[in-house]
Amino acid sequence: MLAAVLAGLVQMSVAVSPPNYTDKSLCDLWAGAQCHQLECGQNAKERCQEESKRCRGLTRRSAPKEKAAKVASCAKAILKTKCGDPAPTECAGVDAP
């Protein structure tokens, strides 16, 4: 189940790239990366669902380009790591969208 949620979030957002990120797609990409990072921990399913809930109701308004580039770079770097690895350098100073 967790893998299906993660795959869906990532699939929806990876095809979108700056400057075309919306608030919703950027949040979905971030949530997918967070789910990936959490999948080996305790309560992974619940924590992943919490990350996904943040994105509900967000608009399809364009996300600010600079923020979108930073968040997307961090999220994509996280998706290349193994569960439990430290945060990639691309994530320094990056907060959830």
Side-chain angles (χ1 to χ4, degrees), residues 45-61:
K45 181 179 175 182
E46 293 82 10
R47 293 175 66 196
C48 181
Q49 288 174 344
E50 287 300 316
E51 288 294 330
S52 298
K53 283 181 186 178
R54 292 183 191 189
C55 303
R56 290 184 187 153
L58 289 180
T59 66
R60 303 242 181 245
R61 178 187 68 193

